[in-house]
Amino acid sequence: MRHLRSSNNFKRDAAHRRAMMRNLVLNLIEHGRIRTTLPKAKAARTLAEKLITLGKKGTLHHRRQAVEVLGSTVAAKRCVKKVFGELSQRFAVRPGGYTRILKLPRTIRQAKSDLPRGVTKRSKFYGTRLGDNSPLVLWELCEAEITKKEKPKGKKKKAPRAEKPKTEAAPAQTDAPKAE
């Protein structure tokens, strides 16, 4: 029974679990969207939302609390700066729920509508991991400003070239001196 056990320990000790959550949140803040397993995303969601709330408050004390949670590495400091700058402005009027978890389709049949034509292999469009078949999700910041790169669907047809009008050929000039 799991009486009074509020969180998933992922069969890791406390330090490893804390580092794993820290890395997930750092990657989410840095990239805006990451692909991870469903239980990890659910566990790290609370940490990410608390950090964004600290960023909205914006005082020196709250900044130090965020550094304590994320660590003092260069990447962590860059993420703290992003949380207290860009993300705090983006979510200024939003009362909570700064992240969303989108479940990916588990099979190719479910992913058929999202797949580009001709793709039938197991790829990033699937919602399960190849090794252990665990469910994968997209965990992203709400109102994410991520631009989707569109690939051309087919070869572009070239417009027929306009033919140049033929002009009369000028007499060939030679460098040899002319005899008079």
Side-chain angles (χ1 to χ4, degrees):
M1 287 193 243
R2 51 178 305 276
H3 294 303
L4 296 177
R5 295 185 185 195
S6 61
S7 66
N8 190 346
N9 63 8
F10 300 107
K11 296 186 179 181
R12 292 166 167 85
D13 60 353
H16 189 184
R17 191 169 51 251
R18 199 174 318 120
M20 181 179 65
M21 293 299 137
R22 177 185 299 144
N23 287 331
L24 281 172
V25 172
L26 281 173
N27 285 324
L28 175 71
I29 292 169
E30 186 176 345
H31 300 292
R33 174 188 294 171
I34 61 172
R35 201 174 103 194
T36 184
T37 62
L38 182 62
K40 286 179 186 176
K42 284 183 177 181
R45 177 174 45 188
T46 59
L47 184 62
E49 299 209 359
K50 285 178 186 176
L51 282 173
I52 294 173
T53 303
L54 289 176
K56 285 172 59 175
K57 293 178 182 175
T59 64
L60 178 63
H61 176 66
H62 295 113
R63 185 178 293 262
R64 286 179 176 161
Q65 285 180 331
V67 169
E68 182 182 349
V69 170
L70 292 178
S72 59
T73 62
V74 175
K77 288 179 182 177
R78 192 171 48 238
C79 287
V80 167
K81 188 179 285 188
K82 187 173 181 178
V83 166
F84 280 80
E86 177 188 336
L87 295 181
S88 64
Q89 292 172 0
R90 187 193 307 177
F91 297 120
V93 295
R94 193 178 182 105
Y98 311 113
T99 63
R100 76 169 61 104
I101 296 173
L102 302 172
K103 293 183 180 180
L104 295 173
R106 292 183 63 88
T107 62
I108 184 119
R109 193 169 280 161
Q110 292 172 344
K112 204 73 154 171
S113 61
D114 298 334
L115 287 173
R117 289 188 176 212
V119 175
T120 56
K121 296 180 181 177
R122 182 174 285 273
S123 66
K124 65 181 180 178
F125 298 106
Y126 281 94
T128 58
R129 195 162 45 200
L130 191 57
D132 60 355
N133 205 30
S134 62
L136 294 177
V137 296
L138 280 178
W139 184 37
E140 65 182 4
L141 294 170
C142 291
E143 302 169 8
E145 298 172 10
I146 299 171
T147 57
K148 191 174 185 179
K149 295 179 183 177
E150 292 186 19
K151 295 181 181 177
K153 292 187 178 181
K155 293 183 180 179
K156 293 182 180 179
K157 295 181 180 177
K158 293 184 179 179
R161 287 187 175 181
E163 293 184 20
K164 294 181 182 177
K166 293 183 179 180
T167 59
E168 293 182 21
Q173 294 180 355
T174 59
D175 293 334
K178 293 182 181 179
E180 290 182 31

